[in-house]
Amino acid sequence: MNAIATPSLAQVLDHPGIWRRSADRQPRVRALPTGWTSLDAKLPGGGWPQGALSEILFEHQGLGELDLVMPALASLTQEHRRVIFIAPPHLPYAPALAAAGVDLRFLHEIQAGASEAAWSMEQCLRSGCCGAVVGWLPADIDYRSLRRLQLAAESGDACALIFRDASYAAQNSPAALRIKVSNSDEATYVDVLKSRGLLTTTAPLLRMRA
């Protein structure tokens, strides 16, 4: 009878599926550059995690939260990759999107009610034909629904980006990345609340405008 080879502890710990907090090497993260140099420099992989869910939590609308994702969306559409807006709260203003570099031929919008928005986003993510799916989902979306979106993003290898109210920042979330957009009298700030593979967070990370 042949002896069963037993891997050494070093071999087991070197498996890519195992992450050690004390390890010098951080887990490899595939990412889509955000287009914001200061933010890319702080995020593992250098941008929005690919094939994963990212949450953008904002204190109130109009802080520039959409500007935060616009460079990445422009890049995707210029590469002829589809971007889907799910249930945006306002009618997307095509001239502004085009001015930001978005190729409108590859941008689509789905209007969905509160009960269908998460389902619509999940189906788009699973389709495998989207570069990114951006959703404005009900603020009180539960953990199970967020988990389904995370799995759908992995399945379709797309960036899932959702906007939520910052009052849910303390809620548990399976998202790979959670950032918070806030402001003071002087500027708008972007803080990383959670990032898969990031050992520490520093706040504020990015001053978006003076």
Side-chain angles (χ1 to χ4, degrees):
M1 178 179 294
N2 296 329
I4 299 175
T6 302
S8 67
L9 178 60
Q11 289 174 314
V12 172
L13 294 178
D14 198 44
H15 190 281
I18 296 179
W19 174 69
R20 289 178 292 165
R21 181 181 176 86
S22 59
D24 294 333
R25 293 178 299 172
Q26 291 187 349
R28 184 178 302 170
V29 176
R30 292 187 304 113
L32 174 69
T34 67
W36 297 87
T37 304
S38 300
L39 184 58
D40 287 348
K42 295 290 185 180
L43 296 178
W48 305 111
Q50 186 76 32
L53 173 65
S54 297
E55 288 188 62
I56 301 166
L57 304 148
F58 54 91
E59 289 188 333
H60 55 80
Q61 291 186 14
L63 293 180
E65 63 274 12
L66 189 57
D67 292 341
L68 197 61
V69 303
M70 201 54 65
L73 303 187
S75 176
L76 287 171
T77 57
Q78 289 168 15
E79 296 172 0
H80 296 184
R81 299 178 66 187
R82 298 188 184 283
V83 172
I84 312 290
F85 280 0
I86 303 290
H90 307 291
L91 182 66
Y93 187 54
L97 293 168
V102 175
D103 187 335
L104 299 178
R105 296 175 300 168
F106 298 94
L107 177 65
H108 308 275
E109 176 193 355
I110 295 177
Q111 285 295 339
S115 59
E116 297 89 13
W119 181 88
S120 300
M121 186 168 184
E122 181 184 346
Q123 303 313 306
C124 290
L125 289 168
R126 288 192 185 280
S127 71
C129 65
C130 298
V133 183
V134 185
W136 288 261
L137 306 183
D140 59 349
I141 184 172
D142 59 22
Y143 185 95
R144 181 181 179 185
S145 297
L146 293 173
R147 177 64 176 162
R148 290 180 66 90
L149 293 176
Q150 168 66 32
L151 294 176
E154 292 177 10
S155 176
D157 195 30
C159 281
L161 303 164
I162 64 172
F163 292 99
R164 300 180 71 197
D165 191 277
S167 61
Y168 291 88
Q171 182 185 48
N172 289 332
S173 171
L177 174 65
R178 305 185 85 201
I179 63 175
K180 179 182 176 182
V181 183
S182 59
N183 73 328
S184 67
D185 293 337
E186 299 178 347
T188 297
Y189 298 98
V190 177
D191 300 325
V192 176
L193 304 180
K194 171 188 175 184
S195 179
R196 183 183 296 170
L198 186 65
L199 300 183
T200 59
T201 59
T202 304
L205 284 177
L206 172 67
R207 173 171 289 189
M208 295 180 64
R209 65 183 182 223

